[in-house]
């Protein structure tokens, strides 16, 4: 192999490596993934894995939350077009819920009156239920990190979550870890009004 061919081979290898690195960085930015500790209302602490589909200047479009509980018979993944807010177990029933990022997801879930969208594990799948069918203690506070951590693929501990929760979200209404259902209902009405309609009953 001549010197020129060797140099071309090295250049092509570096170029391919650079393209692969750029593609990996793009994927990491579009689909950030991390693990976090989540405390349930019964005191148990579990580790969940979150993966989000994120668009710049928009935020989370789709999410996957993977976790294991004996009440579900092992590991399961909850996939939704929501920003996850809580996982919990009450009287053996597993509940999850989240909030749409914007009007597109709000419409996808048929304009829910309380804005947030809830599900219960049936033994086979996560089935949607009316938000107020959640036990009262489940709908008071978020326990899943709703924002993407600065460093992906790290463990977000309970200590970190207690020390620094996500920034307050919203403009006209302020949304944080404690859930004010009235504010979410007002946001649902606001989005429905944009299309001259009303939120659904559930």
């Amino acid at each position: 192999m001549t010197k020129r061919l060797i140099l071309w081979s090295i250049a092509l290898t570096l170029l391919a490596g650079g393209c692969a690195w750029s593609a990996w960085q793009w994927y990491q930015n579009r689909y950030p993934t991390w693990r976090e500790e989540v405390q349930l209302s019964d005191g148990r602490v579990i580790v969940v894995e979150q993966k989000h589909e994120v668009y710049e200047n928009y935020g989370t479009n789709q999410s996957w939350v993977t976790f294991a509980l004996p009440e579900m018979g092992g590991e399961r993944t909850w996939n939704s077009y929501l920003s996850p807010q809580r996982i919990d177990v009450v009287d053996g029933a597993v509940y999850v819920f989240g909030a749409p990022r914007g009007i597109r997801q709000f419409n996808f879930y048929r304009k829910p009156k309380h804005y947030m969208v809830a599900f219960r594990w049936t033994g086979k799948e996560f089935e949607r239920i009316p938000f107020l069918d959640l036990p009262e203690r489940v709908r008071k506070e978020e326990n899943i990190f709703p924002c993407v951590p600065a460093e992906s693929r790290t463990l977000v501990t309970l200590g970190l979550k207690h020390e620094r929760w996500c920034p307050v979200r919203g403009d006209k209404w302020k949304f944080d870890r404690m859930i004010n259902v009235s504010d979410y209902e007002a946001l649902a009405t606001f989005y429905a009004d944009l299309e001259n309609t009303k939120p659904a009953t559930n």
Side-chain angles (χ1 to χ4, degrees):
M1 184 179 289
T2 66
K3 185 176 180 180
R4 180 175 293 179
L5 286 174
I6 291 173
L7 291 174
W8 269 109
S9 178
I10 292 172
L12 289 172
T13 300
L14 291 174
L15 180 62
C19 290
W21 174 252
S22 296
W24 174 245
Q25 285 296 104
W26 175 89
Y27 184 84
Q28 285 288 87
N29 291 333
R30 176 60 60 85
Y31 295 99
T33 303
W34 69 95
R35 296 165 67 244
E36 72 176 86
E37 294 178 330
V38 171
Q39 185 161 29
L40 309 181
S41 58
D42 62 11
R44 282 182 288 173
V45 176
I46 63 173
V47 174
V48 310
E49 181 176 276
Q50 285 212 64
K51 176 181 172 182
H52 287 219
E53 180 185 44
V54 176
Y55 287 92
E56 191 176 353
N57 299 323
Y58 183 78
T60 293
N61 177 57
Q62 185 174 187
S63 63
W64 296 261
V65 184
T66 301
F67 58 104
L69 285 167
E71 290 86 353
M72 298 191 303
E75 187 175 87
R76 300 286 185 269
T77 297
W78 170 44
N79 172 224
S80 69
Y81 290 96
L82 301 167
S83 179
Q85 293 173 282
R86 190 173 183 94
I87 292 171
D88 215 334
V89 180
V90 177
D91 297 329
V94 179
Y95 300 97
V96 295
F97 69 87
R101 175 64 184 83
I103 193 166
R104 183 171 58 186
Q105 287 92 344
F106 175 69
N107 287 335
F108 177 84
Y109 287 102
R110 303 188 303 277
K111 301 178 174 62
K113 176 181 179 180
H114 309 291
Y115 197 73
M116 294 166 285
V117 185
F119 299 83
R120 179 174 51 219
W121 176 252
T122 66
K124 294 182 178 179
E125 61 183 355
F126 291 101
E127 179 180 71
R128 184 173 174 179
I129 61 172
F131 184 75
L132 294 185
D133 280 5
L134 291 168
E136 185 177 0
R137 72 175 187 242
V138 173
R139 44 187 159 91
K140 285 185 175 181
E141 181 181 4
E142 298 176 351
N143 68 358
I144 300 179
F145 220 44
C147 58
V148 177
E151 293 185 18
S152 189
R153 298 201 173 277
T154 58
L155 176 66
V156 179
T157 64
L158 287 181
L160 178 63
K161 290 161 75 170
H162 286 307
E163 177 185 326
R164 187 176 66 253
W165 193 250
C166 294
V168 173
R169 310 178 297 281
D171 182 15
K172 188 174 182 179
W173 299 275
K174 304 298 182 184
F175 302 102
D176 58 17
R177 184 168 189 168
M178 302 307 296
I179 293 172
N180 184 329
V181 176
S182 296
D183 284 348
Y184 281 100
E185 289 174 345
L187 181 58
T189 298
F190 171 78
Y191 276 136
D193 284 347
L194 291 178
E195 299 183 338
N196 297 313
T197 184
K198 293 185 180 298
T201 55
N202 288 318

